[in-house]
Amino acid sequence: MADEPVKVVYHLTEGLDQASRAMSNIRNHLRAEPDTKIVVVANGDGIKFLLTGATERSGRPFDGAVAALASQGVDFRVCSNTLIAHDVPVSRVLPGVRLVTSGVAEVARLQAREGFVYLRP
Amino acid sequence: MADEPVKVVYHLTEGLDQASRAMSNIRNHLRAEPDTKIVVVANGDGIKFLLTGATERSGRPFDGAVAALASQGVDFRVCSNTLIAHDVPVSRVLPGVRLVTSGVAEVARLQAREGFVYLRP
Amino acid sequence: MADEPVKVVYHLTEGLDQASRAMSNIRNHLRAEPDTKIVVVANGDGIKFLLTGATERSGRPFDGAVAALASQGVDFRVCSNTLIAHDVPVSRVLPGVRLVTSGVAEVARLQAREGFVYLRP
């Protein structure tokens, strides 16, 4: 058990400021513990940073940071219910981001069925 | 294990906007995974939506949404310490909502003793 | 298992208002369940209340509340990455507070390796 990698679900629901903090948190997390498996699940306003054209406060687009973390093994999953409720076409979701039916159900499932622990940045 | 229903504690502490999001999240959650056992624990400003007369931004009262989810098996629990600290009489708590001594202790107990996973909407 | 004390990580990331709520939550938690082991992990703006001179809205300094909870067995841990990023010298951290390399990695480790449950006040 103790040798298995730690698995963490980062739950994002608030918007771009929380997403900026999360990107920074995840970079620090992987620098401290490179073997950690991280899945980011976004629902509600948490999905905004995963749409084309989204930028950090500094003006820097999110897509580069997302692609860089994805290349380090971070998975990004977005709630389809939110896309529908917010009238966002799937074509606006960044490449490589996986759709899940319900973000909250996914957060629960990862913990209850796949041994993930929870973290809200 | 894998066949037992997933059990999730939704932890509400912020106020009416978080509660609105939570009602919507829980409806989506149960639509995606109808067998999920959901307990909502509210403390601090999180208790406001469970008091008589509380309304969503749209003006719609919360009591109908709470009763509808309760009829689907969702449990609502409110922190007695908060009621005392905020000087709220128990008579203002919606019918069917259970009092617990400490909301935070209940959130911890459900996870540590009853196999619930955590979710903060 | 059921006889071991419940272990809870309180995750603080927001700032002084969240920290005030957390101090009150933890006091209530320990009053309801005195055997609970509580570790507070602070990163980002969550570290502010653990620096010398920080005060609650009422003007009361945080150091007394932190020392009182520490004397009841609560551990406080602060993220070194945040100290560096916010340019805060270690000398400003309250006595008795432990430094950890990465606050988020610590929150994950406590859950995955030491049986803690999560709570965000």
Side-chain angles (χ1 to χ4, degrees), chain A residues 77-94:
Chain A
R77 300 180 187 169
V78 73
C79 175
S80 296
N81 283 329
T82 302
L83 294 178
I84 294 163
H86 293 206
D87 218 6
V88 175
V90 173
S91 60
R92 285 201 55 208
V93 176
L94 294 180

Side-chain angles (χ1 to χ4, degrees), chain A residues 21 25, chain C residues 12-19 41-51 78-79 82-83 86:
Chain A
R21 287 198 307 273
N25 288 163
Chain C
L12 271 65
T13 66
E14 291 175 24
L16 298 179
D17 285 346
Q18 185 194 32
V41 177
N43 67 279
D45 285 341
I47 73 165
K48 290 181 177 173
F49 81 110
L50 293 174
L51 304 181
V78 72
C79 175
T82 302
L83 293 178
H86 292 206

Side-chain angles (χ1 to χ4, degrees), chain C residues 20-81:
Chain C
S20 285
R21 287 199 306 272
M23 296 294 99
S24 167
N25 288 163
I26 293 171
R27 281 190 289 264
N28 283 326
H29 200 146
L30 290 173
R31 204 174 305 128
E33 298 287 345
D35 289 339
T36 309
K37 175 63 195 173
I38 294 178
V39 175
V40 177
V41 177
N43 67 279
D45 285 341
I47 73 165
K48 290 181 177 173
F49 81 110
L50 293 174
L51 304 181
T52 52
T55 58
E56 305 209 44
R57 282 206 173 180
S58 62
R60 188 169 47 175
F62 269 105
D63 58 0
V66 169
L69 288 174
S71 76
Q72 291 184 263
V74 177
D75 283 349
F76 293 88
R77 298 182 188 169
V78 72
C79 175
S80 297
N81 283 328

Side-chain angles (χ1 to χ4, degrees), chain B residues 17-61:
Chain B
D17 284 347
Q18 186 195 32
S20 285
R21 288 198 307 271
M23 297 293 99
S24 167
N25 288 164
I26 293 171
R27 282 189 288 265
N28 282 327
H29 200 146
L30 291 173
R31 203 175 305 126
E33 298 287 346
D35 289 338
T36 308
K37 173 64 194 172
I38 293 177
V39 175
V40 177
V41 177
N43 67 280
D45 285 342
I47 73 165
K48 291 182 177 171
F49 81 110
L50 293 174
L51 304 181
T52 50
T55 57
E56 305 210 43
R57 282 206 174 180
S58 63
R60 187 170 46 172

Side-chain angles (χ1 to χ4, degrees), chain A residues 1 108-116, chain B residues 1-7 35-37 110-117, chain C residues 1:
Chain A
M1 273 298 279
R109 192 189 65 77
L110 286 168
Q111 292 182 80
R113 300 289 191 235
E114 301 200 11
F116 278 71
Chain B
M1 272 299 279
D3 295 316
E4 284 186 14
V6 173
K7 296 183 280 191
D35 289 338
T36 308
K37 173 64 194 172
L110 286 168
Q111 293 181 79
R113 300 288 192 235
E114 300 200 12
F116 278 71
V117 299
Chain C
M1 271 300 277

Side-chain angles (χ1 to χ4, degrees), chain B residues 80-100:
Chain B
S80 297
N81 282 328
T82 303
L83 294 178
I84 294 164
H86 292 206
D87 218 7
V88 175
V90 172
S91 59
R92 285 199 55 207
V93 176
L94 294 180
V97 175
R98 187 171 129 195
L99 302 189
V100 294

